[in-house]
Amino acid sequence: MSAKVLLTGFDAFEGVAVNPSRHVVEALAGQVVSAVPIHALVLPTVFDESRRQLEAALVALRPRLVLALGAAPSRTAISVERVAINIDDARIADNAGRQPVDRPIVSGAPAAYFARLPIKAIVAELRRANFAAEVSQSAGTFVCNHVFYALMHALRRRASVRAGFVHLPLPADAGDAARQVDAVRIVLEVALRGGDDLHVQGGAVD
Ligand code: PCA
């Protein structure tokens, strides 16, 4: 079977009228990166349903790389997430009006999974291309973390599949939005390159 990339984003949700992750996913749908075709999927910002749709796509496509994207209105840098945690704790309601509090995503499963992406190499490459980028130590506890955790859990026995999550800041204008498409292309290229991560400073003190 030929290799595929699955790229996901989210629709609009409270406080984010136009989701930049949706724009990027739609812009890259059907394109080819490092000779690998991109399959795009826009997920609903809804607990459980987003996970169901993601899991169905994983079964249907069997991708070599999965990159999930979401919007992070409070951030100013492209945030390459290090870790997904096994908890839903919603400060706002999802698009179906649900607001789980302190609910495990998968009962009895590990507290966390690390991204299987060269996160520091990705940050370095983004900075080389003049993007504000950083490693993030938390993807939050809303639907983005939910999908990220569900992704890593679904792939827990498929070690050869690379997967992770990137949060995008809200773009300042149309030019900025277009540049985010280039940034995500860079993320995919570095992720498909394989090899070890860079061991350079990328942590946080608090
Ligand atoms: N961002 C939200 C959910 C959907 C999105 O794009 C989050 O960070 O959880």
Side-chain angles (χ1 to χ4, degrees), residues 10 13 19 21 45 70-71 142-144 167:
F10 283 101
F13 63 100
N19 197 319
S21 69
T45 305
F142 192 48
V143 184
C144 284
H167 263 120

Side-chain angles (χ1 to χ4, degrees), residues 10 41-56 94 96 98 103 143 146-147:
F10 283 101
L41 177 64
V42 177
L43 297 168
T45 305
V46 175
F47 289 101
D48 302 315
E49 179 56 23
S50 53
R51 177 180 171 189
R52 259 193 296 281
Q53 292 189 20
L54 172 74
E55 288 173 352
D94 71 11
R98 277 188 232 111
R103 178 187 78 166
V143 184
H146 179 86
V147 157

